[in-house]
Amino acid sequence: MRLDATSFGHDIGAAGRKDLNTAAIDQTNARPLDKMTAPMIDPFGRMVTYLRVSVTDRCDFRCTYCMAEHMTFLPKKDLLTLEELQRLCSAFIAKGVRKLRLTGGEPLVRKNIMFLVRELGKEIEAGRLDELTLTTNGSQLSKFAAELADCGVRRINVSLDTLDPDKFREITRWGELTKVIEGIDAAQAAGLKVKINAVALKGFNDAEIPDLMRWAHGRGMDLTLIETMPMGEIDEDRTDHYLPLSEMRERLERDFTLKDIPYRTGGPARYVEVAETGGRLGLITPMTHNFCESCNRVRLTCTGTLYMCLGQNDAADLRAALRSTDDDAYLSQVIDEAIGRKPKGHDFIIDREHNRPAVARHMSVTGG
């Protein structure tokens, strides 16, 4: 999940800039935060309890379906400090967020990231947060797995699209599969529950998915398949590799018995149980069967922009609110105003007539 940030303002778009204006909210009328216990409920009655935070736009991979090979990343001065990210996360937790996921880019390449992880882990100890999780490409995981577990992280997602070392290097452009496997080994040794995420890509890894599933289940890991999404310009036409998961499921059912189950982790995946392996397979289908009706999530970028929907440009500038005053009550009201604009869903389409990105920003702007 990466970012082409030659112009962050361009990612939001001219039409969206008005949505970043927090001046209309009067700081003098802000109520104390500790008295604001009402949950965050959007215009469609969905309670927002899940925050995904992209702590950096940078990544040490350049996955072909996600980003262009030559990226221009945000200057470090534009990023929130880790202390500012902690303050924003704490404000959301005070307003009812119970699950928080750190993403990127690759979150473990952010310098001193464990400071933020440890501080958020204290929210779990205090009972204010139910779960702190992480999505990673696994490249740095062997260094941090034990410390993540010590900080209260119990479950992580590792993005892994193929077990073929040559194909892995091809799709990541310069990643090393052995480092990712070492990271998974370290995570499991530390007691972390690992789930594998794989983007299903026609003509690249679709034939490997049965073996990838057997491998994951054989190690006690769930596997979740994800449809590619039209976010950000890349160096190829996404329609060339777009694979509807309805089609992938039909293929798998030729050799496996898949049973729908009600298991949920709080995210968008729908799960099936695979009788032959005894494991679970998740399906994230933003294109063929979107999950918008039950969306309980918002996404915070490393620059402090809050996106209320993965596939829409409407956003709120929390950095301005954060830096304008030390009063968290004002920040809380800015968040409430943004939640009041959360849309019903996205408008993702991928076909030969809609082969350009639905939104200009890459996934790492929003967080995966």
Side-chain angles (χ1 to χ4, degrees):
M1 296 173 287
R2 297 71 176 156
L3 168 65
D4 180 1
T6 51
S7 169
F8 182 67
H10 173 70
D11 287 328
I12 295 171
R17 288 194 184 96
K18 62 180 178 64
D19 301 316
L20 297 178
N21 182 11
T22 59
I25 300 175
D26 185 0
Q27 296 183 34
T28 61
N29 293 326
R31 293 168 291 165
L33 184 62
D34 59 4
K35 293 182 180 179
M36 300 180 69
T37 57
M40 293 181 289
I41 299 176
D42 76 6
F44 303 94
R46 298 168 299 193
M47 188 177 298
V48 177
T49 58
Y50 183 3
L51 177 68
R52 300 175 71 109
V53 182
S54 176
V55 299
T56 179
D57 64 312
R58 296 171 187 269
C59 187
D60 49 355
F61 291 173
R62 297 289 185 274
C63 294
T64 57
Y65 58 80
C66 183
M67 65 195 305
E69 183 171 7
H70 303 290
M71 304 295 293
T72 303
F73 293 107
L74 290 167
K76 292 182 180 179
K77 64 179 178 63
D78 288 350
L79 273 61
L80 295 182
T81 66
L82 293 174
E83 290 81 4
E84 287 175 325
L85 282 170
Q86 178 197 354
R87 182 182 166 199
L88 279 176
C89 289
S90 296
F92 275 97
I93 292 168
K95 293 177 68 59
V97 160
R98 302 299 300 179
K99 176 178 177 179
L100 197 151
R101 179 177 295 277
L102 301 180
T103 70
E106 170 46 48
L108 295 179
V109 302
R110 174 80 189 250
K111 186 176 181 181
N112 298 326
I113 185 60
M114 295 311 299
F115 163 79
L116 179 62
V117 176
R118 190 164 293 280
E119 290 302 308
L120 292 174
K122 295 175 183 177
E123 300 282 359
I124 295 177
E125 291 180 15
R128 292 186 290 265
L129 187 65
D130 293 335
E131 187 176 40
L132 173 64
T133 61
L134 182 88
T135 294
T136 173
N137 65 25
S139 65
Q140 309 296 316
L141 194 51
S142 61
K143 302 176 188 177
F144 293 105
E147 191 174 359
L148 286 168
D150 186 57
C151 291
V153 176
R154 296 292 175 259
R155 188 169 64 88
I156 63 171
N157 292 353
V158 177
S159 301
L160 178 61
D161 301 316
T162 176
L163 293 174
D164 182 312
D166 293 332
K167 293 177 72 172
F168 183 83
R169 178 170 285 275
E170 175 188 347
I171 198 166
T172 63
R173 291 194 174 99
W174 52 59
E176 294 183 24
L177 179 62
T178 54
K179 288 187 177 181
V180 176
I181 300 301
E182 288 170 4
I184 293 171
D185 291 341
Q188 291 192 311
L192 296 174
K193 182 175 178 57
V194 179
K195 179 168 73 71
I196 301 298
N197 285 347
V199 177
L201 300 167
K202 181 175 63 178
F204 179 78
N205 67 352
D206 48 342
E208 295 179 64
I209 285 175
D211 287 338
L212 183 62
M213 183 173 70
R214 292 187 185 97
W215 172 79
H217 290 176
R219 295 193 51 156
M221 303 183 294
D222 291 349
L223 171 68
T224 291
L225 302 178
I226 306 170
E227 291 175 338
T228 186
M229 287 176 272
M231 298 187 66
E233 293 285 359
I234 58 175
D235 296 331
E236 60 184 43
D237 185 341
R238 283 187 173 90
T239 56
D240 292 338
H241 293 294
Y242 169 59
L243 177 62
L245 288 188
S246 55
E247 178 182 329
M248 189 69 241
R249 177 169 180 164
E250 288 178 6
R251 291 195 212 174
L252 288 171
E253 286 179 326
R254 298 169 190 166
D255 299 306
F256 299 94
T257 306
L258 308 183
K259 179 184 177 183
D260 292 303
I261 57 175
Y263 177 77
R264 294 288 185 270
T265 62
R270 295 177 172 88
Y271 284 86
V272 299
E273 187 175 69
V274 184
E276 289 75 9
T277 65
R280 287 188 293 253
L281 175 69
L283 304 171
I284 296 181
T285 54
M287 307 305 299
T288 57
H289 182 185
N290 75 55
F291 34 78
C292 301
E293 72 279 357
S294 60
C295 183
N296 63 341
R297 299 169 293 285
V298 290
R299 290 169 166 83
L300 179 67
T301 77
C302 56
T303 61
T305 300
L306 182 70
Y307 285 98
M308 288 72 78
C309 176
L310 178 65
Q312 301 284 358
N313 282 320
D314 191 18
D317 184 4
L318 300 189
R319 180 173 63 183
L322 187 75
R323 293 179 176 176
S324 67
T325 176
D326 292 332
D327 182 5
D328 282 350
Y330 173 58
L331 176 62
S332 178
Q333 286 194 284
V334 175
I335 293 171
D336 284 339
E337 190 277 335
I339 299 300
R341 292 188 279 114
K342 183 171 169 61
K344 188 173 184 178
H346 62 69
D347 300 313
F348 287 156
I349 302 173
I350 292 183
D351 58 31
R352 290 296 174 185
E353 294 181 359
H354 302 85
N355 59 1
R356 298 298 302 275
V359 292
R361 68 183 186 278
H362 287 76
M363 178 68 90
S364 65
V365 171
T366 321

